[in-house]
Amino acid sequence: MVIITSINNSNKLAKKLAKELNCEYFKTEVSEFPDKDLYLKIKEKVKGKKLIIVESFQPNPNKTLLNIIFTSQTAKDLGAKKVILFCPYLAFMRQDKRFNPGEAINAKIMSKLLNENIDKIITVDPHLHRILKLKDIFTIPAIKLTSNHIIAEFIKKKFKKDIAIIGPDWESYQWADEISAEIGVEDTVLEKTRNTSRNVNVEVKKEINIKNKNIIIVDDIISTGNTMIKAAKEAKKRGAKTITAIGVHGLFVENGYKKMEKYFDNIFTINTIEHLTNKIDISTEILKELNKKI
Ligand code: R5P
């Protein structure tokens, strides 16, 4: 028997999945004692059941990691048979090496903690860059879902013709190349230099026909929005008809959304992180995976 919970960040998606799978849903109660210690409570009966925790790592990735570990350990203590984590957005993946002496390698520490505390992880388009596969850091079964197909379908419906795709940096070829191939349009992947976490430059290395086209810039993460804005400026210079941003994970930190608005005709994201730009629904992809093996 399967039961679904969420903690703070993915309540809508968790409820929707529970309804589709026709199983029980509850919200894990989490708050703080007056001294700020974590207080967590599971009110439903989880004994003998498979618990699916649906929880995105945004907002508050650091707290979320602790919340997930406490939820899983409490569920196991209460007799849950198995704990599966579906985190539509997995944080800690960008600090995937020691860039400067003494730094923590976040991806390795996060995965070690999850390996020790949950039985299986499913996530959507994790930021795999220097770490190439989830199985390089996870010893538990780790499933990567991709949103390429649902993004391609969305673009085809929304923009009937004159489409071209831009990936704003090298890693975004994973989305730009596949999506453009599925739609049957041209794409170019830009070269990005990151000067600081808030300052980037992009360069167009391969020119494609952008003039009078509906340009769609696709990336896995929109964080401050600066990468997207730099790419939009290049598209505008080349005479794009409309400019649209599609991010798999819309973090929009530091007023990112407001900053982006004036450069884009449209900004769309997938509902891996709850935001008003959520126009593409990941449910179908996760349901396919859950229906396979729960
Ligand atoms: C990083 O390599 C990611 O793919 C994104 O390009 C990056 O996280 C975007 O960050 P920002 O929105 O702050 O420019």
Side-chain angles (χ1 to χ4, degrees):
M1 203 173 176
V2 175
I3 185 161
I4 293 189
T5 190
S6 58
I7 309 163
N8 273 326
N9 300 341
S10 303
N11 301 336
K12 274 196 210 159
L13 189 57
K15 280 186 205 163
K16 184 167 188 193
L17 294 176
K19 201 168 165 203
E20 298 282 347
L21 291 167
N22 201 17
C23 64
E24 218 184 315
Y25 162 81
F26 69 95
K27 190 168 174 328
T28 297
E29 238 183 80
V30 63
S31 59
E32 283 173 347
F33 286 104
D35 61 358
K36 304 286 179 221
D37 263 15
L38 178 69
Y39 174 85
L40 190 137
K41 185 174 173 183
I42 291 180
K43 280 191 289 189
E44 302 306 310
K45 287 205 168 40
V46 292
K47 197 176 165 95
K49 298 179 187 169
K50 280 185 192 170
L51 176 69
I52 303 177
I53 305 174
V54 181
E55 189 73 358
S56 195
F57 274 84
Q58 270 287 335
N60 296 319
N62 308 343
K63 268 194 184 173
T64 301
L65 182 58
L66 205 63
N67 288 345
I68 288 169
I69 292 172
F70 272 61
T71 305
S72 176
Q73 283 302 322
T74 308
K76 287 186 177 195
D77 205 28
L78 294 170
K81 210 160 72 184
K82 200 170 181 184
V83 178
I84 298 166
L85 170 65
F86 171 46
C87 52
Y89 169 66
L90 179 63
F92 301 104
M93 293 297 285
R94 284 184 294 172
Q95 181 73 14
D96 55 1
K97 75 166 205 182
R98 185 167 289 127
F99 295 92
N100 296 295
E103 285 178 351
I105 306 176
N106 290 2
K108 284 197 179 161
I109 300 171
M110 170 275 295
S111 58
K112 188 165 190 272
L113 291 170
L114 293 181
N115 283 332
E116 284 164 4
N117 288 287
I118 58 161
D119 300 304
K120 178 175 176 174
I121 178 169
I122 306 170
T123 190
V124 182
D125 289 318
H127 188 80
L128 293 168
H129 182 191
R130 281 154 290 256
I131 293 167
L132 296 175
K133 290 182 246 91
L134 286 179
K135 80 169 196 285
D136 295 342
I137 48 171
F138 285 105
T139 51
I140 51 173
I143 310 284
K144 168 189 144 172
L145 304 179
T146 177
S147 53
N148 281 341
H149 175 63
I150 54 174
I151 294 178
E153 288 291 305
F154 179 83
I155 296 173
K156 277 195 274 182
K157 255 189 228 144
K158 186 102 196 149
F159 305 91
K160 303 279 181 252
K161 53 181 183 144
D162 302 329
I163 303 165
I165 309 284
I166 294 181
D169 59 16
W170 175 79
E171 298 119 80
S172 64
Y173 78 88
Q174 301 166 63
W175 296 273
D177 287 359
E178 263 196 41
I179 292 168
S180 58
E182 186 169 337
I183 306 175
V185 297
E186 255 194 313
D187 78 316
T188 182
V189 171
L190 313 189
E191 210 166 282
K192 176 167 87 180
T193 318
R194 184 173 278 289
N195 307 317
T196 67
S197 55
R198 291 178 182 81
N199 185 302
V200 295
N201 282 320
V202 298
E203 234 183 293
V204 183
K205 289 281 180 183
K206 175 190 143 201
E207 291 287 349
I208 56 166
N209 188 10
I210 285 180
K211 199 168 171 57
N212 295 326
K213 295 257 176 169
N214 294 306
I215 297 301
I216 323 287
I217 308 175
V218 281
D219 203 358
D220 58 341
I221 297 173
I222 302 176
S223 183
T224 61
N226 293 335
T227 301
M228 281 287 190
I229 291 171
K230 285 285 166 76
K233 286 181 177 170
E234 295 301 320
K236 192 166 170 86
K237 263 196 248 166
R238 289 165 177 76
K241 181 160 87 183
T242 64
I243 307 177
T244 295
I246 298 187
V248 179
H249 310 293
L251 279 62
F252 299 113
V253 300
E254 299 177 350
N255 233 4
Y257 178 65
K258 275 259 145 297
K259 258 184 356 203
M260 281 176 71
E261 267 182 323
K262 66 170 187 263
Y263 297 95
F264 289 90
D265 297 282
N266 308 289
I267 303 170
F268 301 124
T269 58
I270 299 179
N271 55 345
T272 60
I273 298 169
E274 288 182 9
H275 190 262
L276 57 96
T277 52
N278 289 166
K279 288 287 180 287
I280 310 171
D281 186 9
I282 195 66
S283 304
T284 46
E285 304 308 297
I286 176 68
L287 284 169
K288 273 188 235 160
E289 180 58 37
L290 291 176
N291 276 323
K292 268 194 232 162
K293 268 200 209 103
I294 46 173

